[in-house]
Structure formats: structure tokens, C-alpha cells
């Protein structure tokens, strides 16, 4: 924590805002945090580059150059520009605003480096301010530019579209094309045409960055978060799920017009303001079974999932889960202004017309599911597949932890980096994404203060230990994963297991320290540990930098606790992180069990 200095602005700048290092080009260090190799087809791979982020958190906050004790009435934009200008020694003309939002505990500004008025795609920064208008977190991947391409394209956009469509085996989807700068790993800066390419039958959806001078495809953002589930030996286990009839499960605060109304229209089917659930195409919804808004379809476990009434039971369940998650996470801060998924935003900020589309029993795959998160204002797409480990097959839409896992990709991709859907792209950040998705499924299934081991996907593959390598557990023999396991893991779901298990232990520690609330879904104001956990989970997302590392993600939790609880859970959090190798000296995938002095 830095004290507030009583100095003139000029002196203050010199003393407290000595510019921090700006990320240089790729150096000889682990590439987890900066790169991702993607195989797009059998003979085409592309390695994407995201300049390393610096991330600092400031506890009770530091003053920015325009801060005045007697007047905190300065715009978020002005405060942000002043802080970043001082901190990074860049000019205001080098800064362009992407978006801002005010959460309960912090106000967030997301900016991009820019040159001649053209923003950079992969050099971004985020600044968070607390209620005193002091800076509490700063993440940046701004770069020192060396050679920078001319800002006037020499390749026409039509040629760039053709190149991107060919390379990515899809079609330009009509979304507005932009010109953006892109930092390459050698430090040079290219000018690009940025074009969305989709292939609906293949389930792909990219932003393609085509060099506007050479015509080369330089970079992609992959909007689809896929899940793959490891196969375990099949033994006998049947998970019988108890269906119940719930009446009015919607939360009137989070969904003021319920789950079936958009504008003045009340839909008599699995469609509404937050989500629509269909099979095949968007006309194939489940209609109400009797008078309006009754969806009573009794699943028949001995019949194939794609026969009546099982299709309707599946659409109804997926629709119910996605809406419930919308409502619960809304209470904890995933609101319209925080880039959530809704058709009508009721004038509360953010971009609308982006409710989640749920493709139930999608024929595009088997034994899996996925979720595409394009930027705020474009609908998320969840595709749920059938699983053929059993006969009849089982339906992922009827296993709530699979639906929850997928839907949480939408939460984390939208709330990290300001609604772009582009900030969990590195291997390490993608791994965190998988981890949060498992951790949310873990969180939402608790029905008491007990913290049993958690297993993901036992129903769909009909196997008691589910689809992951280990159960999530507080017992380090049951689950031996630690921060240093990142040294040997090379795949996003495997890396996600490390993070989800750390969060399982953070959850257990918070519940042990602060107890458990049975009303956490609709009352986020209690002091209990399960409520604290979900607040910190969600508050940390917008604090962390674009493409966070594990260390960044941990630091964002610690800062989120300072913002909301004045650091009351600091030692509990540090002890839990340290128990799995993420103590204060953890770095470069080397464990540390050290906690701060006094803990
Ligand atoms: C804060 O700024 C707003 C808009 O510029 C202005 O209307 C308001 O009077 C200001 N309040 C104070 C306390 O300066
Ligand atoms: C979309 O992908 C399928 C394979 O899944 C391929 O056959 C088709 O040609 C692709 N479409 C385009 C426009 O490239
Ligand atoms: C809703 O659908 C049900 C069953 O399909 C039907 O009986 C009912 O009349 C419909 N209600 C409205 C308002 O369309
Ligand atoms: C595993 O857990 C036990 C019991 O909590 C503890 O004593 C031991 O130090 C832990 N081992 C490691 C490697 O953290
Ligand atoms: Ca939105
Ligand atoms: Zn996933």
C-alpha cells in the first residue's frame, strides 16, 4: 500500500509514478502465459501471441494524478488516462477506451493502446478504482512499439475476407469489420483487417486478423470454449436424478419480467430474455405442455434421449439451468453493465440482444459440449451433445454440472477484459477458464456446510469418478494437484483441474471460517463463506488483466477481498492458496507454501 502523498502533481508524478516496465517482445521464458498453438486443420497451425501482462494490486488504493481529497468527482475516463499516462509514460493519444463499468465494489476502465487513432487488438490495460476513487488494480499488456506499420491499408478488405475464409474454412458472418493494430511476438506492430469467420456446421467462430499490408493471416481469437472429457474405464454406476416440479424459480430482481418475456411479448416456449433452448434450429423450441408456461415433461430413462418426451425434458432442464445461473450470478455482479447475456437490458447499460442460445442434443458432436462467447452484444452459443457410453445414450442437458460448466465460460469470458470474449486465450488463461467452470459447478451443488469431494460428469459417462483425472478434494492424497503441476500439464482442461482444485480448497477454507448460508442464491449480503466465495470469484474477474496467469488470478482474489471486505479474509485466502503451492513466493510454476507475515 502506498500512502497518499501531499505533493504537487508534478512532484507526485516523479516520485510515485516512475513508469513501470512495458512488456517487451517475447523472451525466453515459459510460453504458457503469452502464447497458444492452435491446430485449425490437419495441416494448418497458428501460434497466437498475447504480450505478457503486468498486474499490480494496491490494497486500500493509490491516488491517481487527478485525485483530490476534497473532490472525487472526476470522470472515470480522465482518471484512467491520467493514471495510465503517468504509469506507463504514454501519451493520451496512445490510449483508446474500450469500455467501462461500475460494479458494486469497484469501477473498471478497459483501454487499449492505440496509434493514429487505431486501437491495438492485443495491447490492452484495465484500471480499477475503489469508492475513494483510488486505484486498486492495474493490469497492462501495453507494449513499447518499435516498427509500426502504416495506418493506411494496402490490401483491400475483400481480399482479406477471402484469405480468412479460406484459411479458417468458414464464412464471413457480416459482423462489422474493423482495422486494428496487432503486436507480433518479435515486437513489430502489424495493421490488420479484423473479420469474424464462422462455420456453423463445424461449430467454429473466430475473429481473424489479416495483415492489411501483406495479406497474411496473423492471429485469431477463438470464441469457442470446448470441453473434452477424459474417458475412464466403464464400470457399473447409475446416477438416478430426482426430478422435481419447481414453481416460479425465477429471481424477480435478476429477471424482472421473468424468463419468458422480451419487450411486450410473452413466449409460450423455452425462450425469453436470458436464453432460448432448442433442438436443431431456433424454431424447434419446447412449447408449454399445458396452460401458458407449464413445462411438465417426464423424462423416460429407458427411452432414447431424442424421442418424446425426452427432448422436451432436456430443453426444459437446460433452459431452467441457464436461467438460474443468469439469476444467481446477476445477484453477484454479472449484470447488464458487466456484459451479461440478455435480449433486453432494461436501460441498465451494456449491449443487449445477446441472450444465450442453447442447442440441446446438437448433432454437431458427441460426448462433449461447448460454449462460444463472442463479444458483448452478440448471443452466446451453448451446444449440448449426447453421450454414447450407455444405451440408451445420455443427454448432457440433463446433467446440471455439465450445463453449469459450459454456461460459466460465458461468465468468465465476458467479465475478464471488459466484455470482449477475447481475454482467456492463452493456454494458462484458457486453463483458468476451465477451472472456474468446474468450480462453479462445484459451488452450485452444495446443499449444506459439508464440503464433500466433487466429481464432474459422473452421469453422462456413467462412471463414479466422472470425466476429470481426480476428484476435487481437500485431501491432498485424493487430489495431489498443486501450482507446480502446471509444469507438466499442457492442455486447458488438465490445467483447469489444478485451478478448480485450488478453488475447492479456498471454498472449504471460507466455509470453515465463516459458515454456510442456505439462501446464497438470492441473498448475496450474508457474511457466510459460500457467499464470500462467489463474491470474490466474480469480483476478481474484472480486476484481473487480459489473459491472466494463475498468479494474476490469485492476486485478483486477494484484491477483491480488500475491496469488498476490507481484507477480512486475507489470511484464510493466503493459507488456502499456499496449501496448494500458491503462497506468496510462488512464481514460474514453482510452489510456495509461504503466507504473509501475521497469517
Ligand atoms: C459532480 O459532477 C457533476 C457532473 O459534472 C455535477 O453535476 C455535480 O454538481 C458535481 N458534484 C460535485 C460535488 O462537485
Ligand atoms: C465448414 O466445415 C465443414 C466441415 O465440418 C466443411 O465441409 C465445409 O466446407 C466448411 N465450410 C466452409 C464455408 O468452408
Ligand atoms: C401455450 O401453449 C399451450 C400448449 O401448447 C396452449 O394450450 C396454450 O393455449 C398456449 N397459450 C398461449 C397464450 O399461447
Ligand atoms: C497434505 O495434507 C496434510 C494434512 O493436511 C499435511 O500435513 C501435508 O503437509 C500436506 N502435504 C503437502 C505436500 O502439502
Ligand atoms: Ca450483453
Ligand atoms: Zn469447458
Amino acid at each position: 500500500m502506498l500512502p497518499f502523498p501531499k505533493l504537487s502533481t508534478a512532484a507526485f508524478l516523479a516520485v510515485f509514478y516512475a513508469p513501470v516496465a512495458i512488456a517487451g517482445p517475447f523472451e525466453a521464458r515459459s510460453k504458457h502465459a503469452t502464447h497458444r498453438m492452435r491446430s485449425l486443420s490437419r495441416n494448418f497451425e497458428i501460434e497466437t501471441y498475447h504480450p505478457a501482462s503486468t498486474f499490480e494490486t494496491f490494497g486500500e488504493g493509490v491516488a491517481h494524478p487527478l485525485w483530490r481529497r476534497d473532490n472525487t468527482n472526476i470522470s472515470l475516463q480522465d482518471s484512467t488516462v491520467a493514471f495510465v499516462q503517468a504509469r506507463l509514460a504514454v501519451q493520451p493519444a496512445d490510449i483508446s477506451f474500450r469500455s467501462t463499468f461500475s460494479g458494486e465494489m469497484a469501477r473498471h476502465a478497459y483501454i487499449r493502446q492505440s496509434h493514429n487513432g487505431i486501437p491495438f487488438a492485443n495491447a490492452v490495460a484495465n484500471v480499477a478504482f475503489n469508492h475513494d476513487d483510488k486505484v486498486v488494480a492495474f493490469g497492462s499488456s501495453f507494449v513499447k512499439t518499435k516498427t509500426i506499420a502504416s495506418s493506411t491499408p494496402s490490401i483491400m478488405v475483400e481480399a482479406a475476407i477471402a484469405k480468412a475464409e479460406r484459411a479458417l474454412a468458414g464464412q464471413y458472418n457480416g459482423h462489422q469489420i474493423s482495422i486494428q493494430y496487432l503486436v507480433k511476438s518479435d515486437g513489430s506492430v502489424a495493421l490488420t483487417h479484423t473479420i469474424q469467420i464462422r462455420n456453423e456446421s463445424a461449430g467454429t467462430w473466430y475473429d481473424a486478423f489479416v495483415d492489411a499490408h501483406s495479406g497474411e493471416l496473423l492471429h485469431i481469437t477463438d470464441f469457442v470454449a470446448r470441453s473434452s472429457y477424459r474417458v475412464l474405464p466403464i464400470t457399473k454406476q447409475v446416477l438416478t436424478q430426482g426430478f422435481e416440479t419447481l414453481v416460479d424459480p425465477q429471481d424477480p430482481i435478476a429477471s424482472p419480467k421473468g424468463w419468458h418475456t422480451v419487450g411486450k411479448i410473452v413466449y409460450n416456449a423455452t425462450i425469453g430474455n436470458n436464453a432460448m433452448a432448442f433442438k436443431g434450429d431456433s424454431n424447434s423450441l419446447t412449447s408449454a405442455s399445458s396452460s401458458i408456461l407449464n413445462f411438465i415433461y417426464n423424462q423416460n430413462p429407458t427411452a432414447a434421449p431424442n424421442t418424446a418426451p425426452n427432448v422436451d425434458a432436456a430443453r426444459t432442464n437446460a433452459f431452467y439451468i441457464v436461467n438460474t445461473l443468469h439469476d444467481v450470478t446477476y445477484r453477484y455482479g454479472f449484470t447488464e453493465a458487466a456484459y451479461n447475456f440478455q435480449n433486453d437490458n432494461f436501460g441498465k447499460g451494456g449491449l443487449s440482444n445477446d441472450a444465450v442460445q442453447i442447442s440441446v442434443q446438437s448433432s454437431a458432436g458427441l460426448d462433449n459440449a461447448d460454449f462460444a462467447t463472442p463479444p458483448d452484444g452478440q448471443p452466446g452459443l451453448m451446444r449440448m451433445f449426447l453421450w454414447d457410453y450407455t444405451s440408451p445414450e445420455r443427454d448432457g442437458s440433463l446433467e446440471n454440472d455439465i450445463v453449469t460448466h459450459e454456461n460459466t465460460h460465458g461468465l468468465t469470458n465476458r467479465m475478464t477484459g471488459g466484455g470482449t470474449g477475447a481475454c482467456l486465450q492463452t493456454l494458462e488463461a484458457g486453463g483458468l477458464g476451465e477451472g472456474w467452470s468446474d468450480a462453479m459447478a462445484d459451488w452450485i451443488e452444495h446443499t449444506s456446510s459439508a464440503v464433500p469431494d466433487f466429481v464432474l460428469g459422473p452421469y453422462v459417462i456413467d462412471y463414479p469418478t466422472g470425466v476429470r483425472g481426480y476428484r476435487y478434494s481437500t485431501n491432498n492424497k485424493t487430489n495431489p494437484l498443486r501450482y507446480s503441476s502446471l509444469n507438466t500439464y499442457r492442455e486447458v482442461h488438465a490445467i483447469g483441474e489444478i485451478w478448480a482444485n485450488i478453488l475447492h480448497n479456498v471454498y472449504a477454507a471460507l466455509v470453515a471460517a465463516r459458515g454456510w448460508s442456505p439462501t446464497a442464491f438470492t441473498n448475496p449480503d450474508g457474511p457466510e463463506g459460500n457467499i464470500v466465495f462467489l463474491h470474490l470469484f466474480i469480483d476478481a474477474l474484472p480486476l484481473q488483466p487480459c489473459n491472466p496467469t494463475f498468479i494474476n488470478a490469485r492476486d485478483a482474489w486477494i484484491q477483491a477481498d480488500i475491496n469488498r471486505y476490507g481484507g477480512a479474509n486475507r489470511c484464510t485466502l493466503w493459507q488456502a492458496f499456499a496449501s496448494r503451492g500458491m503462497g506468496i513466493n510462488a512464481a514460474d510454476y514453482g510452489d510456495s507454501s509461504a503466507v504473509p507475515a501475521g497469517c
Side-chain angles (χ1 to χ4, degrees):
M1 194 196 323
L2 296 179
F4 170 64
K6 287 189 177 162
L7 297 170
S8 75
T9 301
F12 171 70
L13 286 179
V15 175
F16 291 95
Y17 287 95
V20 295
I22 289 191
F26 172 66
E27 288 151 29
R29 50 184 290 241
S30 167
K31 297 167 92 175
H32 274 36
T34 48
H35 289 63
R36 175 112 166 230
M37 183 64 82
R38 296 172 189 278
S39 299
L40 297 174
S41 66
R42 261 206 306 278
N43 46 19
F44 180 48
E45 284 192 330
I46 187 164
E47 188 173 52
T48 57
Y49 171 65
H50 307 271
S53 288
T54 58
F55 183 48
E56 296 171 279
T57 54
F58 301 106
E60 299 305 321
V62 291
H64 56 77
L66 302 180
W67 192 90
R68 295 290 176 274
R69 183 181 297 281
D70 53 353
N71 180 13
T72 56
N73 196 11
I74 299 166
S75 79
L76 192 57
Q77 274 83 351
D78 289 348
S79 307
T80 301
V81 169
F83 179 79
V84 172
Q85 182 182 5
R87 197 77 185 166
L88 298 182
V90 295
Q91 293 309 307
D94 299 335
I95 298 171
S96 76
F97 271 80
R98 228 216 119 256
S99 63
T100 60
F101 92 92
S102 297
E104 258 184 316
M105 289 299 132
R107 294 188 302 154
H108 303 271
Y110 298 91
I111 60 174
R112 307 209 274 176
Q113 191 165 350
S114 86
H115 175 73
N116 284 352
I118 297 173
F120 283 49
N122 58 347
V124 299
N126 59 308
V127 189
F129 299 84
N130 65 12
H131 289 313
D132 293 332
D133 192 36
K134 290 191 176 172
V135 177
V136 291
F138 176 49
S140 165
S141 62
F142 270 39
V143 295
K144 276 205 182 88
T145 52
K146 288 195 262 179
T147 45
I148 186 154
S150 155
S151 55
T152 310
S154 50
I155 301 260
M156 288 303 100
V157 73
E158 293 74 18
I161 293 172
K163 169 69 187 186
E165 287 183 333
R166 242 185 353 263
L168 298 171
Q171 280 185 318
Y172 168 50
N173 67 355
H175 189 72
Q176 189 179 6
I177 295 174
S178 58
I179 291 273
Q180 301 187 49
Y181 275 117
L182 180 81
V183 187
K184 302 204 286 184
S185 59
D186 65 3
S188 66
V189 180
L191 186 75
T192 65
H193 293 291
T194 307
I195 303 159
Q196 284 196 6
I197 303 290
R198 275 187 84 169
N199 181 328
E200 291 188 27
S201 69
T204 58
W205 191 345
Y206 300 106
D207 242 351
F209 296 77
V210 178
D211 193 313
H213 294 296
S214 75
E216 192 190 345
L217 175 63
L218 294 180
H219 181 90
I220 54 170
T221 295
D222 186 350
F223 291 130
V224 182
R226 284 189 183 74
S227 311
S228 11
Y229 299 100
R230 199 149 69 192
V231 180
L232 295 169
I234 292 176
T235 61
K236 288 191 282 183
Q237 192 225 15
V238 178
L239 188 137
T240 39
Q241 299 222 285
F243 283 79
E244 276 184 52
T245 298
L246 303 183
V247 179
D248 278 341
Q250 73 277 5
D251 177 348
I253 298 294
S255 295
K257 292 185 167 181
W259 289 348
H260 295 271
T261 302
V262 184
K264 293 201 165 74
I265 302 174
V266 182
Y267 290 97
N268 193 12
T270 48
I271 176 173
N273 202 39
N274 310 322
M276 70 189 291
F278 54 86
K279 179 179 190 308
D281 64 54
S282 54
N283 294 321
S284 306
L285 305 161
T286 283
S287 297
S289 55
S290 60
S291 69
I292 189 162
L293 304 186
N294 279 344
F295 297 87
I296 310 295
Y297 296 97
N298 292 308
Q299 189 245 4
N300 176 358
T302 63
N306 58 2
T307 58
N310 290 349
V311 183
D312 286 314
R315 281 185 293 225
T316 300
N317 192 63
F319 183 80
Y320 155 71
I321 294 295
V322 170
N323 273 288
T324 300
L325 289 164
H326 166 278
D327 288 2
V328 173
T329 58
Y330 189 99
R331 290 272 189 164
Y332 287 78
F334 188 34
T335 57
E336 296 90 348
Y339 323 108
N340 79 355
F341 299 91
Q342 288 182 199
N343 282 330
D344 181 353
N345 281 2
F346 310 114
K348 295 178 186 166
L351 298 178
S352 53
N353 292 317
D354 62 356
V356 176
Q357 300 179 350
I358 312 162
S359 175
V360 169
Q361 299 181 10
S362 165
S363 57
L366 200 61
D367 300 338
N368 216 326
D370 61 26
F371 194 102
T373 315
D376 191 29
Q378 288 181 274
L381 176 61
M382 176 186 294
R383 300 188 310 173
M384 303 303 298
F385 306 150
L386 295 178
W387 296 69
D388 68 352
Y389 290 80
T390 56
S391 178
E393 294 169 318
R394 289 188 172 180
D395 189 329
S397 295
L398 293 176
E399 177 150 12
N400 293 349
D401 53 292
I402 303 286
V403 183
T404 301
H405 173 104
E406 295 311 329
N407 203 65
T408 303
H409 282 303
L411 165 75
T412 56
N413 276 295
R414 282 283 174 84
M415 284 197 85
T416 302
T420 58
C423 280
L424 298 177
Q425 293 285 317
T426 58
L427 178 62
E428 191 165 342
L432 288 167
E434 297 302 335
W436 285 306
S437 283
D438 283 8
M440 182 66 82
D442 190 349
W443 183 87
I444 209 132
E445 288 193 11
H446 288 103
T447 52
S448 77
S449 63
V451 187
D453 292 351
F454 179 71
V455 171
L456 191 91
Y459 165 77
V460 285
I461 66 165
D462 195 16
Y463 193 72
T465 57
V467 297
R468 299 293 188 233
Y470 299 99
R471 297 163 187 270
Y472 296 124
S473 181
T474 54
N475 183 320
N476 59 22
K477 293 202 173 63
T478 304
N479 189 319
L481 296 175
R482 303 176 66 72
Y483 174 55
S484 56
S485 308
L486 273 156
N487 286 307
T488 49
Y489 279 10
R490 300 265 178 273
E491 190 276 330
V492 284
H493 300 92
I495 291 173
E497 287 193 46
I498 305 169
W499 183 240
N501 195 54
I502 290 170
L503 293 185
H504 181 89
N505 280 273
V506 168
Y507 174 85
L510 287 169
V511 169
R514 308 224 171 263
W516 186 86
S517 164
T519 57
F521 288 5
T522 50
N523 178 4
D525 298 326
E528 292 86 356
N530 54 329
I531 291 174
V532 173
F533 179 90
L534 195 59
H535 269 310
L536 300 183
F537 184 125
I538 289 178
D539 285 356
L541 297 171
L543 291 175
Q544 66 194 359
C546 192
N547 289 304
T549 61
F550 272 49
I551 300 291
N552 297 153
R554 177 204 63 192
D555 291 350
W557 275 66
I558 302 290
Q559 181 63 44
D561 179 51
I562 296 171
N563 295 354
R564 185 173 287 275
Y565 299 112
N569 304 290
R570 176 170 168 266
C571 289
T572 306
L573 294 171
W574 274 114
Q575 278 151 6
F577 281 117
S579 76
R580 295 301 181 278
M582 290 195 74
I584 50 173
N585 299 320
D588 297 331
Y589 319 124
D591 287 331
S592 160
S593 57
V595 295
C599 285

